[in-house]
Short mmCIF file of all heavy atoms in Angstrom, two decimals:
data_model
loop_
_atom_site.label_atom_id
_atom_site.label_comp_id
_atom_site.label_asym_id
_atom_site.label_seq_id
_atom_site.Cartn_x
_atom_site.Cartn_y
_atom_site.Cartn_z
N TYR Y 114 0.15 53.10 -42.04
CA TYR Y 114 0.97 51.90 -41.82
C TYR Y 114 0.06 50.69 -41.63
O TYR Y 114 -1.14 50.81 -41.36
CB TYR Y 114 1.88 52.08 -40.60
CG TYR Y 114 1.19 51.94 -39.25
CD1 TYR Y 114 1.08 50.70 -38.63
CD2 TYR Y 114 0.66 53.05 -38.58
CE1 TYR Y 114 0.46 50.56 -37.40
CE2 TYR Y 114 0.04 52.92 -37.35
CZ TYR Y 114 -0.05 51.67 -36.76
OH TYR Y 114 -0.67 51.53 -35.54
N SER Y 115 0.64 49.51 -41.72
CA SER Y 115 -0.06 48.26 -41.43
C SER Y 115 0.59 47.56 -40.26
O SER Y 115 1.82 47.40 -40.22
CB SER Y 115 -0.02 47.33 -42.65
OG SER Y 115 -0.45 46.01 -42.28
N SER Y 116 -0.21 47.13 -39.29
CA SER Y 116 0.31 46.37 -38.16
C SER Y 116 0.87 45.03 -38.60
O SER Y 116 1.66 44.42 -37.87
CB SER Y 116 -0.81 46.13 -37.13
OG SER Y 116 -1.37 47.34 -36.68
N TYR Y 117 0.44 44.56 -39.76
CA TYR Y 117 0.87 43.24 -40.26
C TYR Y 117 2.35 43.24 -40.64
O TYR Y 117 3.01 42.21 -40.59
CB TYR Y 117 -0.01 42.87 -41.46
CG TYR Y 117 0.20 41.49 -42.01
CD1 TYR Y 117 -0.35 40.38 -41.38
CD2 TYR Y 117 0.93 41.29 -43.18
CE1 TYR Y 117 -0.18 39.10 -41.90
CE2 TYR Y 117 1.10 40.02 -43.71
CZ TYR Y 117 0.55 38.93 -43.07
OH TYR Y 117 0.72 37.66 -43.58
N ASP Y 118 2.87 44.40 -41.02
CA ASP Y 118 4.27 44.50 -41.42
C ASP Y 118 5.19 44.46 -40.20
O ASP Y 118 5.01 45.22 -39.25
CB ASP Y 118 4.53 45.82 -42.16
CG ASP Y 118 3.95 45.83 -43.56
OD1 ASP Y 118 3.89 44.75 -44.16
OD2 ASP Y 118 3.57 46.91 -44.03
N ALA Y 119 6.20 43.60 -40.28
CA ALA Y 119 7.17 43.52 -39.19
C ALA Y 119 7.87 44.86 -38.97
O ALA Y 119 8.19 45.24 -37.84
CB ALA Y 119 8.20 42.43 -39.49
N SER Y 120 8.07 45.61 -40.05
CA SER Y 120 8.77 46.90 -39.92
C SER Y 120 7.97 47.90 -39.08
O SER Y 120 8.55 48.74 -38.38
CB SER Y 120 9.08 47.48 -41.30
OG SER Y 120 7.88 47.74 -42.02
N SER Y 121 6.64 47.82 -39.14
CA SER Y 121 5.81 48.70 -38.31
C SER Y 121 5.98 48.33 -36.83
O SER Y 121 6.13 49.21 -35.97
CB SER Y 121 4.34 48.57 -38.69
OG SER Y 121 4.11 48.96 -40.03
N THR Y 122 5.95 47.03 -36.55
CA THR Y 122 6.12 46.57 -35.17
C THR Y 122 7.48 46.98 -34.64
O THR Y 122 7.60 47.45 -33.49
CB THR Y 122 5.97 45.04 -35.10
OG1 THR Y 122 4.77 44.64 -35.77
CG2 THR Y 122 5.93 44.57 -33.66
N GLU Y 123 8.51 46.84 -35.46
CA GLU Y 123 9.84 47.23 -35.01
C GLU Y 123 9.90 48.73 -34.72
O GLU Y 123 10.51 49.15 -33.73
CB GLU Y 123 10.91 46.86 -36.03
CG GLU Y 123 12.31 47.27 -35.56
CD GLU Y 123 13.44 46.70 -36.35
OE1 GLU Y 123 13.21 46.24 -37.48
OE2 GLU Y 123 14.57 46.70 -35.83
N THR Y 124 9.29 49.53 -35.56
CA THR Y 124 9.25 50.98 -35.33
C THR Y 124 8.64 51.29 -33.97
O THR Y 124 9.15 52.11 -33.20
CB THR Y 124 8.46 51.69 -36.44
OG1 THR Y 124 9.11 51.46 -37.70
CG2 THR Y 124 8.36 53.18 -36.19
N HIS Y 125 7.55 50.61 -33.65
CA HIS Y 125 6.87 50.86 -32.36
C HIS Y 125 7.76 50.47 -31.19
O HIS Y 125 7.86 51.21 -30.20
CB HIS Y 125 5.55 50.09 -32.32
CG HIS Y 125 4.54 50.61 -33.28
ND1 HIS Y 125 3.46 49.86 -33.72
CD2 HIS Y 125 4.43 51.81 -33.92
CE1 HIS Y 125 2.74 50.57 -34.56
NE2 HIS Y 125 3.31 51.75 -34.70
N PHE Y 126 8.40 49.31 -31.26
CA PHE Y 126 9.23 48.87 -30.13
C PHE Y 126 10.50 49.70 -30.02
O PHE Y 126 11.02 49.92 -28.91
CB PHE Y 126 9.53 47.38 -30.24
CG PHE Y 126 8.41 46.52 -29.71
CD1 PHE Y 126 7.32 46.19 -30.51
CD2 PHE Y 126 8.42 46.09 -28.40
CE1 PHE Y 126 6.28 45.43 -30.01
CE2 PHE Y 126 7.38 45.33 -27.88
CZ PHE Y 126 6.30 45.00 -28.69
N LYS Y 127 10.97 50.21 -31.13
CA LYS Y 127 12.11 51.12 -31.10
C LYS Y 127 11.73 52.41 -30.37
O LYS Y 127 12.50 52.93 -29.56
CB LYS Y 127 12.56 51.44 -32.53
CG LYS Y 127 13.86 52.23 -32.63
CD LYS Y 127 14.15 52.63 -34.07
CE LYS Y 127 14.25 51.43 -35.01
NZ LYS Y 127 14.53 51.86 -36.41
N TRP Y 128 10.50 52.91 -30.63
CA TRP Y 128 10.02 54.10 -29.92
C TRP Y 128 9.89 53.80 -28.42
O TRP Y 128 10.24 54.63 -27.58
CB TRP Y 128 8.67 54.54 -30.46
CG TRP Y 128 8.71 55.18 -31.81
CD1 TRP Y 128 9.81 55.68 -32.45
CD2 TRP Y 128 7.60 55.41 -32.68
NE1 TRP Y 128 9.44 56.21 -33.67
CE2 TRP Y 128 8.09 56.06 -33.84
CE3 TRP Y 128 6.24 55.13 -32.61
CZ2 TRP Y 128 7.27 56.43 -34.90
CZ3 TRP Y 128 5.41 55.49 -33.66
CH2 TRP Y 128 5.92 56.14 -34.80
N MET Y 129 9.37 52.63 -28.08
CA MET Y 129 9.23 52.28 -26.66
C MET Y 129 10.57 52.37 -25.96
O MET Y 129 10.68 52.92 -24.86
CB MET Y 129 8.64 50.87 -26.52
CG MET Y 129 7.21 50.72 -26.96
SD MET Y 129 6.71 48.97 -26.84
CE MET Y 129 5.53 48.87 -28.21
N GLN Y 130 11.59 51.81 -26.58
CA GLN Y 130 12.92 51.87 -25.98
C GLN Y 130 13.43 53.31 -25.92
O GLN Y 130 13.97 53.76 -24.90
CB GLN Y 130 13.90 51.01 -26.77
CG GLN Y 130 15.30 50.96 -26.14
CD GLN Y 130 16.31 50.29 -27.04
OE1 GLN Y 130 16.58 50.77 -28.15
NE2 GLN Y 130 16.85 49.17 -26.60
N GLN Y 131 13.25 54.04 -27.01
CA GLN Y 131 13.76 55.42 -27.09
C GLN Y 131 13.15 56.32 -26.03
O GLN Y 131 13.84 57.15 -25.44
CB GLN Y 131 13.48 55.98 -28.49
CG GLN Y 131 13.92 57.41 -28.70
CD GLN Y 131 13.54 57.94 -30.09
OE1 GLN Y 131 13.03 57.20 -30.94
NE2 GLN Y 131 13.77 59.22 -30.31
N TYR Y 132 11.84 56.15 -25.78
CA TYR Y 132 11.14 57.06 -24.87
C TYR Y 132 10.96 56.48 -23.46
O TYR Y 132 10.50 57.18 -22.57
CB TYR Y 132 9.78 57.44 -25.45
CG TYR Y 132 9.89 58.33 -26.66
CD1 TYR Y 132 9.95 57.79 -27.95
CD2 TYR Y 132 10.00 59.71 -26.53
CE1 TYR Y 132 10.07 58.61 -29.07
CE2 TYR Y 132 10.12 60.54 -27.63
CZ TYR Y 132 10.17 59.98 -28.91
OH TYR Y 132 10.29 60.79 -30.00
N GLY Y 133 11.31 55.21 -23.28
CA GLY Y 133 11.22 54.62 -21.95
C GLY Y 133 9.87 54.03 -21.59
O GLY Y 133 9.55 53.90 -20.41
N VAL Y 134 9.06 53.65 -22.58
CA VAL Y 134 7.82 52.91 -22.33
C VAL Y 134 8.24 51.47 -22.04
O VAL Y 134 8.91 50.84 -22.85
CB VAL Y 134 6.87 52.97 -23.53
CG1 VAL Y 134 5.58 52.21 -23.24
CG2 VAL Y 134 6.57 54.43 -23.91
#
Side-chain angles (χ1 to χ4, degrees):
Y114 77 89
S115 167
S116 303
Y117 186 78
D118 287 329
S120 62
S121 298
T122 310
E123 180 168 18
T124 299
H125 292 159
F126 278 84
K127 188 186 302 180
W128 287 344
M129 292 176 212
Q130 183 189 62
Q131 179 183 354
Y132 290 91
V134 181

